[in-house]
Amino acid sequence: MSSDDMYFLDVLSSIPNDIRRYSLEVADSIDRHVESAATVLRETLSSSPWIPQSARPAPPPRPRQVVPTPSKSVLNQAQAWVSRNKVLTATIIFSIGAVVVYVHRRHNKHRKRRARRTEHAAKTEVVVIAGSPNEPICKSLALDLERRGFIIYVVVNTVEEEQLVQAQSRKDIRALNIDIIDPTNSQTAVDKFRDEFFSGHFAFSGSTPHHLHLVGVILLPDLSYPAGPIETTPPDLWSDALNVKILGTVATAQAFLPLITELHARLLVLTPSIIPSLTPPFHGIESSIVAALDAFTHTLAGELRPVGVDVCHFKLGIFDCGAVGGRHHLQTNGAKAARADVLSWPTAARTTYARDYVAQSTAPPRGSSLRGLHIAVFDALVRPRPSRVWHVGSGSLLYDAVGKWVPRGVIGWMLGIRSASNGDGFGEGSEVAGWEKVERL
């Protein structure tokens, strides 16, 4: 068979395959066109208003659009895990926070805190403490700041207070005699004190002169307050307390404010916190005075902030001052002292107030160490951005929160206050006779 015959046979064998392929393509094209025409016709008839609703064909279903779901990111997966494990997440966050706070406090506790000196180891930073030298906290602060490298000036008003400062036998704890009662003399004394910061000082003969720098002024009003019913508190006691603790503090601040603003020093105000936070009965003088000092401090802070002077308010709790002269606490003096106070009241006042007064005059809890106060005061003096309010001492922050959020009735119940309507009041019978018996003893 020739080659032409073979070629002709191959062409004849491929014709059925081509016919089948072409016929399938034509059929598919016809199906698409018919389906498209049917869809258009169905849509037209279903939307034609002239055809009754019952005779209208249903519109063709719309093709489903498949939206690809994006893959979850790490953040979305983390959020989903947190939402499923809320308790475990809160536990982890609390644990991490506790560890961070513990490490931070431990680091701050053991960090050395020293005042700056010159290259010849001469002291250059000065702190003024305006408080009674008899006050244990004032004495403790002066000694601690002096050991850390500050030059301490304690404001005194009398010869006896000046002798107390000199009795410390410390070269860099000095008395600054300022008569706060006389504005003219006090201003003269402050102006003379100002010259110390603008004159040269020599560490030793032949050394380079250096200048002193005022770091801060600490206002420490007397922390001892009389207690008792307002009915039995004489007006002269109110007058003395207001003059010494409020007007004395204001006058001292006014005397030093020009120097503070000129040298950009800091002002620290220390006030008790527990009694003013709770405002219990029989502590009207302390609650009133500390509230006035708090308002004075906040107002002064707002006035000095625009000129670059920081004012720090220290709210003190309970401290154990055994190393510097007995325990200092900011509550009552105990049941024995309370009974002694009651005996000096008139009979009618004993009948009305004695039980509640003695009931809340319990022994104070053990105070915290003064080291915490020393560290806080140092940080407030040298930290670049100090806090405005510092809670230092046992119970300071706790009682502040209790006084703000706990109802007054609950606080009275905690202090042992009972109303007379519950049968706990005093009549003219056995309770009065009992107090009269104690008085005769």
Side-chain angles (χ1 to χ4, degrees):
M1 186 178 292
S2 63
S3 59
D4 294 337
D5 295 335
M6 290 296 297
Y7 174 75
F8 181 72
L9 290 176
D10 291 338
V11 171
L12 290 176
S13 63
S14 63
I15 288 175
N17 295 330
D18 294 338
I19 293 174
R20 183 173 180 273
R21 179 166 57 84
Y22 293 146
S23 62
L24 290 176
E25 291 180 357
V26 171
D28 292 339
S29 178
I30 293 173
D31 289 340
R32 289 195 301 269
H33 285 81
V34 171
E35 185 178 357
S36 177
T39 303
V40 173
L41 180 61
R42 188 182 303 172
E43 290 180 353
T44 303
L45 294 176
S46 63
S47 60
S48 298
W50 54 272
I51 298 177
Q53 184 69 27
S54 59
R56 293 180 188 177
R62 294 183 178 180
R64 295 178 58 186
Q65 296 182 354
V66 180
V67 180
T69 57
S71 59
K72 291 186 177 180
S73 63
V74 177
L75 179 60
N76 294 335
Q77 294 177 2
Q79 291 177 348
W81 186 88
V82 169
S83 62
R84 293 193 306 267
N85 304 273
K86 295 181 180 179
V87 177
L88 180 59
T89 303
T91 304
I92 293 174
I93 294 176
F94 177 79
S95 302
I96 294 175
V99 171
V100 170
V101 171
Y102 173 77
V103 173
H104 178 70
R105 288 186 176 182
R106 186 177 181 84
H107 173 72
N108 287 339
K109 182 178 181 181
H110 296 283
R111 179 170 58 89
K112 288 186 177 181
R113 292 171 168 83
R114 296 292 183 269
R116 291 177 296 182
R117 296 172 179 255
T118 64
E119 58 182 4
H120 303 295
K123 296 182 178 181
T124 60
E125 297 188 330
V126 177
V127 176
V128 177
I129 301 179
S132 174
N134 291 314
E135 188 69 39
I137 289 184
C138 178
K139 185 189 303 183
S140 176
L141 279 176
L143 292 173
D144 181 79
L145 292 175
E146 189 271 338
R147 283 193 293 265
R148 296 181 187 275
F150 292 99
I151 300 174
I152 307 301
Y153 284 89
V154 181
V155 178
V156 297
N157 298 322
T158 62
V159 178
E160 291 77 9
E161 292 181 345
E162 185 174 357
Q163 292 175 351
L164 288 174
V165 175
Q166 295 174 354
Q168 299 292 331
S169 301
R170 296 296 184 98
K171 176 184 177 182
D172 293 319
I173 298 182
R174 308 167 186 175
L176 181 60
N177 199 332
I178 298 179
D179 187 5
I180 300 299
I181 301 177
D182 190 346
T184 303
N185 292 338
S186 63
Q187 193 60 47
T188 302
V190 172
D191 292 340
K192 183 178 179 181
F193 177 63
R194 175 183 176 276
D195 296 337
E196 295 287 332
F197 301 97
F198 293 93
S199 59
H201 298 266
F202 297 88
F204 52 88
S205 178
S207 64
T208 305
H210 62 273
H211 291 83
L212 300 180
H213 173 60
L214 180 62
V215 178
V217 176
I218 302 175
L219 299 181
L220 181 61
D222 186 14
L223 300 177
S224 300
Y225 292 86
I230 296 179
E231 179 182 343
T232 63
T233 305
D236 56 347
L237 189 59
W238 280 88
S239 177
D240 293 341
L242 293 174
N243 287 330
V244 173
K245 302 177 189 296
I246 296 182
L247 297 181
T249 303
V250 173
T252 304
Q254 288 178 336
F256 281 100
L257 278 180
L259 185 61
I260 291 174
T261 54
E262 181 180 6
L263 302 179
H264 293 282
R266 291 179 178 172
L267 181 64
L268 278 61
V269 183
L270 281 63
T271 60
S273 171
I274 295 180
I275 293 297
S277 298
L278 301 178
T279 57
F282 313 114
H283 293 275
I285 292 181
E286 180 173 357
S287 299
S288 303
I289 290 177
V290 176
L293 292 176
D294 289 351
F296 167 75
T297 304
H298 293 162
T299 303
L300 186 61
E303 294 177 359
L304 297 181
R305 192 176 302 117
V307 298
V309 175
D310 295 317
V311 177
C312 301
H313 185 195
F314 278 73
K315 295 187 176 184
L316 307 181
I318 305 174
F319 295 97
D320 188 358
C321 301
V324 289
R327 174 178 292 186
H328 169 77
H329 57 84
L330 304 180
Q331 288 186 329
T332 55
N333 297 324
K336 292 184 178 179
R339 290 189 176 92
D341 294 338
V342 169
L343 295 177
S344 63
W345 299 350
T347 303
R350 293 183 206 166
T351 304
T352 307
Y353 307 113
R355 184 193 181 283
D356 289 339
Y357 180 74
V358 175
Q360 67 168 300
S361 302
T362 57
R366 181 177 178 81
S368 61
S369 173
L370 284 170
R371 176 178 171 80
L373 178 62
H374 299 160
I375 292 175
V377 169
F378 181 91
D379 291 343
L381 291 172
V382 303
R383 184 178 294 180
R385 293 182 179 180
S387 302
R388 298 178 184 176
V389 179
W390 299 69
H391 291 273
V392 188
S394 296
S396 176
L397 183 59
L398 174 62
Y399 285 105
D400 186 44
V402 169
K404 290 180 179 178
W405 301 105
V406 177
R408 302 299 307 168
V410 177
I411 294 178
W413 176 80
M414 293 168 56
L415 297 174
I417 305 299
R418 299 294 183 269
S419 62
S421 60
N422 294 332
D424 294 333
F426 291 89
E428 297 294 335
S430 59
E431 295 291 348
V432 178
W435 285 110
E436 291 177 352
K437 182 178 180 180
V438 172
E439 184 177 11
R440 286 195 299 269
L441 293 177

